[in-house]
């Protein structure tokens, strides 16, 4: 099953007899705003206009636990996540499509969580809402309660020790911007740099100018050149397990399974006992 879906394919599926459950995951990384500038409000963006039938899901509240020792976006409580998905109409035997405002990170986080929790049919709208050429609506749907019950473990989840081990035995990709990997800047976490042995692979290089993924063969060639050769274990981390999910999605498009270290740099760097590497060299 392809992990992504085009806008034209989605329009066709929504017009079919068994349309997918559609989830709107609009979100932005929290950064300091200019004086007087309001913070990003995904729900307000949703209510101003969304793909017909889409249900809004809040990444910070429903796709993550509160920030803490396990990072800025730890795994959500399984029962709470399941309840949120059922409220949105998610059932085990019905396809799900997720989208966001175009960056793809938030939609990929929802895709990864649903796959990790055992849902068999989840896809991301390639290019997000900007790729949609159909009408938008402001009505908020009231879907029938779904029956999805999470069964975690369907895809690989890495912890800090597992990520460190994979950086030695296989390939661990750092999906953040190169300057954060090198430790030149660190706008959010306690210290800059990367997990020793990790390879820089910024996730924004997996998409074109329109925000859509590069062709699968191009992605496969990119990851192979960075060390994801046949038989090698592959893992990904980022700042807090959001953009890293987007890289796992890109790897899936390329036909390469990969684990995700959800705690990522926000968990790793918070522990002063964990080693930190800086500069362009993985070690």
């Amino acid at each position: 099953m392809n992990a992504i879906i085009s806008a034209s394919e989605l329009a066709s599926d929504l017009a079919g007899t068994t349309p997918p459950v559609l989830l709107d995951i609009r979100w932005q990384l929290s950064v300091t705003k200019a004086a007087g500038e309001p913070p990003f409000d995904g729900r307000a963006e949703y209510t101003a206009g969304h793909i017909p039938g889409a249900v809004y899901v809040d990444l910070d509240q429903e796709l993550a636990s509160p920030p803490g020792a396990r990072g800025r976006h730890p795994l959500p409580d399984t029962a709470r996540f399941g309840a949120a998905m059922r409220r949105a109409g998610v059932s085990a035997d019905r396809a799900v499509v997720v989208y966001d405002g175009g960056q793809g990170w938030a939609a990929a986080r929802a895709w990864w969580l649903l796959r990790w929790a055992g849902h068999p049919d989840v896809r991301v709208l390639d290019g997000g809402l900007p790729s949609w050429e159909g009408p938008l609506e402001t009505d908020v749907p009231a879907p029938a309660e779904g029956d999805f019950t999470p069964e975690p473990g369907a895809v690989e989840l890495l912890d800090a020790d597992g990520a460190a081990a994979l950086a030695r035995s296989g390939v661990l990709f750092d999906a953040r911007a190169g300057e954060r990997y090198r430790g030149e800047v660190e706008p959010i976490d306690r210290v800059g740099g990367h997990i020793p042995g990790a390879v820089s692979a910024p996730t924004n290089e997996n998409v074109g100018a329109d925000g859509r993924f590069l062709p699968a063969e191009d992605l496969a060639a990119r990851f192979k050149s960075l060390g994801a050769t046949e038989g090698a274990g592959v893992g990904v981390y980022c700042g807090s397990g959001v953009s890293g999910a987007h890289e796992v999605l890109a790897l899936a498009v390329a036909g390469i399974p990969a684990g995700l270290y959800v705690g990522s740099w926000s968990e790793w760097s918070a522990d002063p006992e964990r080693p930190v590497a800086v500069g362009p060299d993985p070690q």
Side-chain angles (χ1 to χ4, degrees):
M1 182 192 71
N2 201 344
I4 58 176
I5 184 173
S6 69
S8 60
E9 290 171 328
L10 175 59
S12 177
D13 286 358
L14 289 174
T17 56
T18 309
V21 174
L22 192 57
L23 305 181
D24 184 311
I25 325 283
R26 272 179 273 184
W27 170 89
Q28 284 185 7
L29 180 67
S30 296
V31 294
T32 302
K33 298 286 187 178
E37 184 180 355
F40 179 81
D41 187 337
R43 188 175 293 277
E45 295 284 329
Y46 165 81
T47 56
H50 52 267
I51 297 176
V55 176
Y56 178 72
V57 174
D58 188 304
L59 186 149
D60 290 316
Q61 300 298 318
E62 297 173 309
L63 304 183
S65 292
R70 293 184 298 134
R72 281 191 306 280
H73 291 103
L75 285 175
D77 173 80
T78 303
R80 184 175 181 180
F81 171 65
M85 293 298 98
R86 290 190 293 275
R87 283 195 302 272
V90 175
S91 291
D93 61 352
R94 188 175 171 192
V96 178
V97 173
V98 295
Y99 72 89
D100 58 23
Q103 186 181 45
W105 294 6
R109 170 75 176 211
W111 166 83
W112 184 87
L113 274 172
L114 281 163
R115 295 289 295 117
W116 170 76
H119 199 288
D121 190 353
V122 190
R123 288 173 290 173
V124 171
L125 175 59
D126 194 18
L129 187 61
S131 71
W132 178 255
E133 297 181 351
L136 300 179
E137 69 175 15
T138 57
D139 292 341
V140 177
E145 182 90 357
D147 64 12
F148 178 66
T149 300
E151 296 182 3
V155 296
E156 186 179 10
L157 169 67
L158 297 171
D159 60 11
D161 290 339
L166 191 57
R168 297 188 298 269
S169 65
V171 59
L172 179 66
F173 289 134
D174 184 318
R176 299 172 299 159
E179 58 268 25
R180 290 186 70 191
Y181 169 88
R182 295 187 295 271
E184 297 166 358
V185 298
E186 183 42 65
I188 306 173
D189 293 310
R190 183 184 68 85
V191 64
H194 57 269
I195 296 174
V199 176
S200 180
T203 198
N204 62 3
E205 296 180 15
N206 296 321
V207 298
D210 59 0
R212 302 182 194 187
F213 282 106
L214 301 177
E217 57 270 22
D218 292 352
L219 290 172
R222 181 194 185 213
F223 292 124
K224 183 178 180 181
S225 73
L226 293 172
T229 55
E230 187 173 354
V234 179
V236 179
Y237 76 96
C238 58
S240 64
V242 180
S243 67
H246 190 261
E247 184 122 301
V248 173
L249 176 57
L251 284 154
V253 172
I256 303 169
L260 177 65
Y261 172 26
V262 172
S264 284
W265 191 247
S266 60
E267 178 186 42
W268 183 279
S269 64
D271 182 352
E273 299 298 317
R274 294 278 179 191
V276 172
V278 295
D281 186 88
Q283 301 301 330

